[in-house]
Amino acid sequence: MRSPSLVLLLAGLTLAAGGPARPAWRIPVTVKQLPNGLTVVVSEDHALPTLGVSVVYRVGMRLEPKGRTGFAHLFEHMMFEGTPVAPKGTFDRVIQGGGGRNNGSTRYDFTNYIESAPASALEPILWLEADRMKDLDFSEKNLQNQRDVVKEEIRVNVKNRPYGSFWLDLPAAAYARWENAHDGYGSFEDLDHAAVQDVKAFHATFYSPANAVIAVAGDVKAEEVFALVEKHFGAIPSQPKPAVPDLKEPLNTKEVRQVKTDPLARVPALAVAWKMPERGSRDHAPAAVLAEILAGGDASRLYLSLVKGKEYLLNVQGGLNPLGGPWDFDGQTLMTLFSLYKPQVDVDKILAEVDAQVAAVAAEGVGKAELERTRTKMVSDFYAGLETPLGRADALAKSQALWGSAEALNTIPALIEGVTPADLKRVAATYFTRANRVVIDYHTAAPKP
């Protein structure tokens, strides 16, 4: 459901190039930090009697320690297994029984826990989140249960799914650093070796107040939220904030080509990736806009040229940051493409057309109408993601955790609007090069020797 303020905003967007400037709109943001290091973000919106809560912990797949692959993901599951005070099932029963919903997810640079509920549920939600930040039911039974759940999830989503590994294969081929390249879903060996004391240590290190951000958006008063967060989280002991590993890598200087066989696939597929600039850098927003121009839906250049035009491909999917969106990563990320292609088509012909489209941008830039259309779509999509209290709370929590500022979320529309044809030419020539490219060709049968 739309909030009145957002309806007015979107109605006021200027779609025609050369028209008056788009109306400015800022998400109201109030931030406070508790003495134990927990950062609290509140965004009031009284259009509806609902709220969204997001608790983001600064630990994701590429921040987990060596020898603990899959721990970030495993721990996402462990957080729903109950605590000594609130046994398993309490979390879901309280929130869903009150008309709300909840979930969690693990990404490269964070793990988030989200709730959407009537505004009256604020204090029970905060109590539950504080309770599992303090302690968990670290029993061998729970660990074994969730270890099996995670392994089954890997079987369903990766091992027994056509092309299920492509988003793991690309980082492994593109990156040199273990943190960026390893299998974040987790190896069965590491998961089997996980002991209760390992899980306790992981919770103590990464699930501390200083390593977390809690954001609340919706029909709330900021001062009331701060008081309730202080009440329920304030006594949780402070812990040192864990160091974030160095994730920086230079661009690759030689193309990587691999051929893999996928026995479950019925059509060959092509996965392509380029290393992209760091989050928040000068080239970040231009890379996000160029990714949208190249692969952002049925109006994108690669869809029109390779699916509709030459009919080499059956589809094109892609964008900046394969496990999230263009704004919710830290360090570096990849621009990825994934396509099913017709068996009779030579892969080199597909790649030549990709190169031609990139070269055209690098040489000629992008026309005013195409750039304006792309920016309008991206800004519209950005605001649409903030429509619900839950979407807004989650975006604010991630912005605070990854950018170091919830207010940074308010700068993103201007970053998109500020991208120029010259920026796109520079980014195309710098990052979308053959030398910086990884290509994985998925065959339906064993490749010929």
Side-chain angles (χ1 to χ4, degrees):
M1 186 177 291
R2 295 174 187 274
S3 67
S5 57
L6 196 52
V7 171
L8 290 174
L9 167 74
L10 294 176
L13 284 177
T14 303
L15 301 180
R22 303 178 201 275
W25 182 74
R26 297 182 66 82
I27 306 163
V29 178
T30 310
V31 181
K32 183 177 181 180
Q33 190 172 55
L34 271 55
N36 62 9
L38 177 65
T39 303
V40 190
V41 182
V42 180
S43 181
E44 295 188 29
D45 184 344
H46 303 286
L48 296 171
T50 60
L51 57 77
V53 178
S54 174
V55 182
V56 168
Y57 291 91
R58 190 76 164 85
V59 59
M61 294 177 173
R62 62 181 174 181
L63 303 184
E64 57 197 5
K66 290 183 179 179
R68 295 285 180 265
T69 62
F71 248 58
H73 180 215
L74 173 68
F75 218 85
E76 174 204 324
H77 286 259
M78 287 293 294
M79 288 284 279
F80 290 97
E81 289 303 289
T83 75
V85 178
K88 182 177 180 179
T90 304
F91 205 96
D92 291 342
R93 187 167 60 252
V94 170
I95 295 176
Q96 295 176 15
R101 60 190 177 94
N102 60 286
N103 209 337
S105 68
T106 310
R107 297 292 184 257
Y108 294 119
D109 301 306
F110 65 87
T111 306
N112 65 338
Y113 301 90
I114 54 176
E115 293 92 24
S116 176
S120 58
L122 175 61
E123 184 160 11
I125 290 174
L126 294 179
W127 184 91
L128 287 164
E129 287 289 5
D131 180 53
R132 63 181 180 178
M133 184 186 286
K134 293 173 193 167
D135 200 3
L136 294 179
D137 182 355
F138 292 110
S139 67
E140 181 61 40
K141 179 182 177 183
N142 276 345
L143 175 58
Q144 184 58 47
N145 176 275
Q146 290 312 298
R147 184 191 286 129
D148 291 343
V149 169
V150 170
K151 289 166 70 173
E152 184 60 19
E153 196 172 311
I154 295 171
R155 291 188 189 96
V156 171
N157 293 335
V158 179
K159 294 182 180 293
N160 295 325
R161 182 176 185 177
Y163 326 108
S165 66
F166 94 92
W167 65 276
L168 297 173
D169 295 338
L170 285 174
Y175 289 121
R177 296 188 68 91
W178 180 89
E179 289 82 359
N180 295 323
H182 78 275
D183 177 359
Y185 238 134
S187 72
F188 281 14
E189 183 180 9
D190 281 354
L191 291 171
D192 285 338
H193 288 162
V196 169
Q197 60 266 29
D198 300 324
V199 178
K200 284 184 177 179
F202 194 88
H203 184 266
T205 302
F206 294 103
Y207 280 72
S208 64
N211 205 41
V213 174
I214 181 167
V216 180
D219 191 18
V220 296
K221 297 285 184 62
E223 290 307 317
E224 292 177 8
V225 174
F226 292 144
L228 287 173
V229 172
E230 177 70 43
K231 175 182 175 182
H232 294 292
F233 291 83
I236 300 176
S238 177
Q239 298 285 341
K241 194 172 182 177
V244 175
D246 183 3
L247 304 173
K248 293 179 182 176
E249 292 191 24
L251 300 184
N252 291 336
T253 57
K254 184 178 180 181
E255 183 185 37
V256 176
R257 295 279 291 265
Q258 296 180 356
V259 175
K260 292 180 178 289
T261 300
D262 187 338
L264 300 176
R266 295 294 176 265
V267 178
L270 193 63
V272 184
W274 297 263
K275 276 185 178 174
M276 290 287 106
E278 290 184 44
R279 193 270 306 148
S281 68
R282 174 195 182 204
D283 291 339
H284 177 188
V289 173
L290 183 51
E292 182 73 19
I293 289 170
L294 290 174
D298 293 356
S300 68
R301 290 194 175 198
L302 292 178
Y303 183 88
L304 293 176
S305 66
L306 285 163
V307 179
K308 299 292 286 185
K310 296 182 182 298
E311 299 184 351
Y312 290 167
L313 306 182
L314 302 178
N315 66 342
V316 173
Q317 303 171 23
L320 196 66
N321 188 17
L323 195 58
W327 316 108
D328 59 1
F329 66 95
D330 202 4
Q332 290 180 299
T333 192
L334 300 174
M335 156 68 187
T336 61
L337 298 175
F338 180 81
S339 302
L340 305 180
Y341 67 88
K342 295 182 178 178
Q344 69 273 22
V345 174
D346 187 332
V347 164
D348 284 329
K349 285 188 175 181
I350 300 171
L351 294 173
E353 180 61 20
V354 172
D355 287 340
Q357 292 295 331
V358 171
V361 176
E364 305 160 14
V366 173
K368 189 174 181 179
E370 184 180 10
L371 178 55
E372 180 63 15
R373 182 173 65 246
T374 303
R375 292 187 303 205
T376 298
K377 180 179 183 300
M378 292 181 70
V379 172
S380 177
D381 289 346
F382 173 78
Y383 283 127
L386 305 175
E387 260 189 295
T388 65
L390 179 57
R392 189 179 305 183
D394 197 39
L396 287 167
K398 289 186 285 191
S399 181
Q400 180 69 41
L402 302 175
W403 293 64
S405 167
E407 277 286 354
L409 202 64
N410 279 318
T411 69
I412 289 175
L415 292 176
I416 296 170
E417 300 281 11
V419 173
T420 67
D423 292 330
L424 297 176
K425 292 172 69 174
R426 182 184 69 252
V427 166
T430 303
Y431 301 94
F432 289 80
T433 66
R434 182 177 296 182
N436 188 39
R437 185 172 68 189
V438 170
V439 177
I440 302 179
D441 184 7
Y442 292 93
H443 289 191
T444 56
K448 295 179 180 178

